[in-house]
Amino acid sequence: MDIRRISPIKFNINPTQVEKRDGWNVALSYGPHSGPFLIDLSHRPKWDLQNSNLPRFRPFGLIIPENPGQCTFSEGILINRMNRTQCQIWHLAGKKPRAPRSSSYTEITDGQCLLAVTGPSALDVMERITNLDLASPALSPPCLIQGPVLHIPCQVVLFSRPTAQTTILFSFSRGYGQTMADAILHSGKDLGLRPGGEEDLDFLGALNIDG
Amino acid sequence: MSYTITCPICGKRDLYEFRFGNEERGPYPNQKGLTPRAYSEAVQMHEAVGGIQKEWWYHRDGCGVWFTTWRDTLTGREVLQPEETS
């Protein structure tokens, strides 16, 4: 039996390219436009890892960052260190890996939304919806900032910050998904923010790995 | 303008991101032979200091960590540990 999985976010325009993947309808593109884009990545596999001895874990063979706020991105997998005992693992590119078997891992793909804001004005868009200082020169991407976006507790990852193509990823509880997406699109309307697909994420292309 | 609290992980943030966890009062008394009155006093009778006190805070909208900090209850502002100010 096929499992049908539905993102909590539905944009008011239809994608031009869609791919069926692991039960999700994944929007690859919404047409040839320049950014900035709001991209729904809720279908991307995510895990929460909690243990009092995190350094002994090697999720997918990767090393967990030592300090809270640090991230590592390797082989399409982003690991965010949240606090002394907890980190999250987001699979952003490449083939879906086999789920870890340890009881310290919790699969949270269906429980959490993951959005990306990417493009030249991404930081301007974020400045309108959060008081977190993502433009701080003290931040060294990729890094994790935990705090409210539109008053919703989020994990915000400043993924890259070149002047032309800034990418910010943030995750939060699934129930807020549609409201958040609508509010963010509304906030960035005059900056040209529009829905985007996976292909609009530049770093996937740079990695040369498919969804 | 609201006050700020300094989270040990996330740094200085708006007070509204936090939940107040009351004053730091040390461990609960030993349960053995504890009378109802002594237990009630341990739970209910806070010092309610007018001045600088050590408090528990929870970073509800951020990293989800409980931590202690020092705050002047007369001004509402966070302050350095008394040892550091003297």
Side-chain angles (χ1 to χ4, degrees):
Chain A
M1 188 180 78
D2 281 347
I3 295 174
R4 190 168 167 229
R5 303 166 94 184
I6 299 170
S7 168
I9 296 167
K10 187 164 170 34
F11 294 127
N12 57 7
I13 56 172
N14 290 324
T16 53
Q17 243 183 304
V18 182
E19 183 180 291
K20 191 94 176 167
R21 192 188 306 155
D22 204 16
W24 300 87
N25 282 325
V26 179
L28 298 179
S29 175
Y30 283 83
H33 300 282
S34 58
F37 296 106
L38 177 68
I39 303 169
D40 177 17
L41 296 172
S42 300
H43 57 279
R44 281 289 173 191
K46 301 178 276 295
W47 292 271
D48 184 86
L49 169 58
Q50 280 198 55
N51 195 283
S52 59
N53 187 12
L54 271 191
R56 82 176 168 88
F57 286 83
R58 292 279 183 277
F60 308 109
L62 304 173
I63 295 173
I64 297 170
E66 195 179 346
N67 299 314
Q70 290 178 334
C71 300
T72 54
F73 183 62
S74 180
E75 296 167 30
I77 293 171
L78 183 74
I79 304 180
N80 310 326
R81 182 68 183 257
M82 298 163 68
N83 53 46
R84 192 179 60 82
T85 58
Q86 192 177 12
C87 70
Q88 277 198 6
I89 301 149
W90 300 347
H91 177 256
L92 298 176
K95 285 202 168 21
K96 184 185 175 183
R98 187 179 290 181
R101 299 183 73 91
S102 162
S103 60
S104 297
Y105 292 89
T106 307
E107 230 274 11
I108 54 168
T109 309
D110 293 305
Q112 285 215 300
C113 274
L114 178 59
L115 290 177
V117 176
T118 185
S121 316
L123 282 176
D124 299 330
V125 172
M126 293 306 290
E127 204 164 58
R128 295 178 177 193
I129 55 176
T130 179
N131 60 8
L132 300 172
D133 187 8
L134 300 174
S136 167
L139 298 175
S140 162
C143 60
L144 171 72
I145 304 115
Q146 298 170 93
V149 174
L150 292 167
H151 304 287
I152 305 302
C154 289
Q155 282 189 55
V156 183
V157 172
L158 182 60
F159 190 82
S160 59
R161 196 171 46 185
T163 46
Q165 199 68 29
T166 303
T167 299
I168 296 136
L169 305 162
F170 49 105
S171 80
F172 48 91
S173 288
R174 177 187 169 98
Y176 298 111
Q178 188 64 55
T179 319
M180 285 279 273
D182 290 345
I184 294 165
L185 283 173
H186 180 72
S187 303
K189 196 173 180 183
D190 61 314
L191 293 168
L193 184 70
R194 55 178 298 121
E198 259 195 4
E199 288 184 351
D200 297 311
L201 270 179
D202 266 17
F203 68 84
L204 294 184
L207 288 166
N208 199 23
I209 37 184
D210 301 315
Chain B
M1 187 180 159
S2 69
Y3 304 138
T4 57
I5 295 287
T6 307
C7 168
I9 288 178
C10 304
K12 190 176 278 197
R13 293 286 186 84
D14 194 306
L15 176 78
Y16 294 109
E17 292 185 21
F18 298 88
R19 177 186 149 192
F20 181 55
N22 232 314
E23 63 196 38
E24 156 61 8
R25 308 179 63 230
Y28 274 124
N30 194 339
Q31 298 286 310
K32 196 175 179 184
L34 190 65
T35 64
R37 172 176 285 275
Y39 179 71
S40 172
E41 285 182 359
V43 173
Q44 313 276 359
M45 303 303 285
H46 298 171
E47 296 292 327
V49 169
I52 294 170
Q53 70 174 7
K54 192 178 185 183
E55 298 173 338
W56 282 97
W57 287 85
Y58 170 59
H59 198 183
R60 182 191 57 205
D61 288 358
C63 58
V65 160
W66 280 97
F67 60 95
T68 56
T69 188
W70 295 83
R71 193 175 62 95
D72 187 341
T73 59
L74 299 179
T75 62
R77 258 58 170 193
E78 197 179 24
V79 295
L80 293 175
Q81 281 187 39
E83 296 82 26
E84 292 177 17
T85 52
S86 59

